[in-house]
Amino acid sequence: MSDFNVIGKNVEKKDGIPKVTGKALFARDISFEGMLYAKILRSKVAHAILKNIDTSKAEKLPGVVCVLTSKDIPGKNRVGIIIKDEPVLVEDKIRRFGDALAVVAAETEEIAEEALDLIEVDYQELPVITTIDEALKEGSLKIHGDTNILENKSLIKGDVDEAFKKCDVIVEKTYKTNYFAHMFIEPEAGVAKYENGILTIWASTQNPHFDRGEVARMLGLSQSKVRVVQAVTGGGFGGKLDISTQCFVGLVTYHIKRPVKLVYTREESMEVSSKRHPHVMKYKTGADKNGKILAMEAEFLQDSGAYASYGPAVVTRGMVHATGPYEIPNIRIKTTMVYTNNPMAGAFRGFGVPQVSIAHEQQMDLLAEKLNMSPYDIRIKNALRVGSYTSTMQKLEGSVGIVETLEKAKEKAEEVIFNNNKDLECIKKRGVGIGCMWYGIGNTGLPNPASAFLEVHKDCSVTVLAGCADIGQGSNTVMCQIVSETLGLDYEDVNIVSADTGSTPDGGATSASRQTYISGNACKKAAEMAKETLLKIAEELLNVDKSEIILKNKKAYSNKDENNSITIQKILNNCAAKGIMVLGCGYFNPDTTSLDAETMQGIPFATYAFATHFIEVEVNTYTGEIKVLKIVAAHDVGKAINRRMVEGQIEGGCLMGMGLGILEDLKVENAKMKTLNFSNYLIYTAKDTPEIYPIIVESEEKTGPFGAKGVGEPALIPVAPAILNAVYNATGVRFTEVPLTLEKVVEKLNY
Ligand code: MOS
């Protein structure tokens, strides 16, 4: 199995050179002759009845081509991935700061901006709901329909009440997390053009096929009349899953038939793109005297803000993962997610799992302390293994590498982390903490297929057409590696066209750490179909059964006699002579079930990734500064298709996780976001990188392409909980809220 040509190798990233040389075309770089510029008029209040919009003065401004409002939407004025509850342009009610009220298109960006000030909006303000408590209060104003409850779910496994009676130790605590922002480097941008009856939109997006459906529905067009092309995308992390510029540029071009461009400012992007859901998590966990966890109970409260976005997905994923990667026989979890007038929360790297991991990993350490066990031993004792039953009573059949990540991480930590307090100034203290995680690959208990086409050309090169959007994580490279290995052709000769609804089949969202596993499988199946065609010809030419034939190094040969071989070029020549096309198509949908409506039991994911981080921190007890010194990060990814890119994901995830744990401090006051750019919403950069030791564990997933699972979100998840446990280890003070800002740390350490 290990003699792969391309799988597991650090091949050159397909988009590497164009990006570092500045040649890659982001949406804002795309221009057409006669192109207009759009700007959006956004609400400056959080909750109001919209009575009238007067656009007449703005329309008269020279250079303004049109000012469009909800009245100009020919189809459905509602978008949303799960629940269509967000207006493209508000027609009756404003629900948050930044709600879109009108689109201006003008000859220049400056004129469009100027026109915004000439639009007169008449509205009547409503009381603003800014807390979960207010949203749930009886008789509270309703933001949508007749309840502010967006989701109310229970997960029930076993008998929790009985099990707690048998526990020797029980720990209870409430944990809180704040909003967090993705801070992708490229703000949202989109360009639309109308030609030969087809509306084409180039956009910065994680899911062009979803965008196509939303735009078509809004315009009342068939999906075949709308083409969405993913422009080179400068990061997403979940924040480019919701629709942004696509509908606005689509609407202008639909009416005016001229190309139009819309680029969000950083502040606009920050205000309207989704944020990580703030959570309140009340946990109770009990174990017997040997450290075996018998029961866990939790109650989650979550704020979705003004719209649903990915909220329901965050609810279910968070609940399923609430145990952490441990086998717990008795569980009861209740979750309530509400609408408020706060900023919209949605998808963000981990979908609720980074939040619950902050709770479950500290519960583990609390239990260990009470039992006089080490944090390591209690994790090993309870870790999921092959044959374990998860929180949803899914029996794990294979690829369960959590124990191996614990072992490997510990081994490395013992080698590189010394946790030496001796030579430190007395105000500084060092400590080490562990964070573990598990993460289901793909959507939770929902179908989420992806597909791919490919053609092997007459010269041994290949073009792959796959819907999967590469937003920088490297899926284009991974798909080409998978195809190259399957067909025995050179990686350099495999090209991919991706994420263009006009030429590629649907790949679903680049989300949920799913593309290597799901689109990877689709590409592999497409390559296997083409391989069948090659093998049939090879069978005749080599005079052996095709089951014996191996395709490698551009040759076909018998596995019994390597000298009985023929070049793939000769096979292709033979195909050409016979008029045979070497094509492939494939799709893959992970094998899951829906979850029971009452108990959430079932098979939500076909496979899970696992990870363990050991983190060393240094706490300045005087200033409150927490420095992350070293991170050992062991990840069970099934199989690393590209080792360097897996390590890159781990390193990026570590920095983002440090931000979540310590630095990123998003401020919302009376439903208005106060931190709108990099000057007051700080993130860690390359200069802040601690020593990171990525360890790749490969517990092969039999249903994955070459055994692969995923790593995108897992890389982030164990970081913050490990930091919190390390800070406790250093100071003896336990923090239950993130981020650990200087003020919070100083206050609590010196109370
Ligand atoms: Mo991610 S939150 O699956 O883009």
Side-chain angles (χ1 to χ4, degrees), residues 332-389:
R332 183 169 58 221
I333 308 168
K334 280 191 178 22
T335 300
T336 305
M337 181 178 276
V338 301
Y339 286 120
T340 64
N341 295 115
N342 284 329
M344 180 180 86
F348 188 176
R349 204 172 188 177
F351 286 110
V353 184
Q355 289 96 316
V356 300
S357 72
I358 282 167
H360 66 64
E361 284 308 273
Q362 295 203 84
Q363 289 291 102
M364 292 306 280
D365 275 29
L366 287 167
L367 276 178
E369 192 174 21
K370 270 205 167 181
L371 288 158
N372 223 352
M373 276 176 97
S374 76
Y376 178 80
D377 289 340
I378 196 168
R379 284 174 170 79
I380 288 282
K381 179 155 198 107
N382 292 283
L384 292 164
R385 289 167 167 84
V386 173
S388 295
Y389 288 90

Side-chain angles (χ1 to χ4, degrees), residues 295-335:
M296 162 197 155
E297 190 175 8
E299 208 181 311
F300 300 157
L301 288 172
Q302 303 156 340
D303 185 353
S304 183
Y307 300 105
S309 179
Y310 272 76
V314 168
V315 168
T316 50
R317 184 182 280 277
M319 292 172 83
V320 167
H321 290 82
T323 54
Y326 313 107
E327 185 168 34
I328 303 182
N330 303 286
I331 306 168
R332 183 169 58 221
I333 308 168
K334 280 191 178 22
T335 300

Side-chain angles (χ1 to χ4, degrees), residues 206 237-238 241 347-351 510-513 713:
Q206 296 180 231
F237 308 108
L241 286 169
F348 188 176
R349 204 172 188 177
F351 286 110
T510 289
S511 158
S513 304
E713 290 158 298

Side-chain angles (χ1 to χ4, degrees), residues 285-299:
T285 319
D288 69 16
K289 59 180 184 304
N290 300 316
K292 173 74 194 115
I293 299 172
L294 303 179
M296 162 197 155
E297 190 175 8
E299 208 181 311

Side-chain angles (χ1 to χ4, degrees), residues 48 153 254 302 530 612 620:
K153 277 191 177 293
Y254 172 89
Q302 303 156 340
T612 300
N620 183 322

Side-chain angles (χ1 to χ4, degrees), residues 450-454 482-483 486-487 517-532 583-590 703 705-706:
S451 52
F453 298 151
L454 66 78
I482 288 170
V483 167
T486 306
L487 289 168
Y517 180 62
I518 302 177
S519 278
N521 263 324
C523 286
K524 186 152 186 283
K525 285 186 170 195
E528 279 163 356
M529 186 191 275
K531 183 177 171 180
E532 263 306 296
L583 305 172
C585 73
Y587 83 93
F588 180 78
N589 183 40
T703 65
F706 299 99

Side-chain angles (χ1 to χ4, degrees), residues 731-750:
T731 64
V733 177
R734 190 161 285 289
F735 289 83
T736 52
E737 273 183 53
V738 288
L740 297 178
T741 54
L742 302 177
E743 297 89 326
K744 236 185 258 169
V745 174
V746 167
E747 193 187 339
K748 202 157 172 186
L749 289 186
N750 302 300

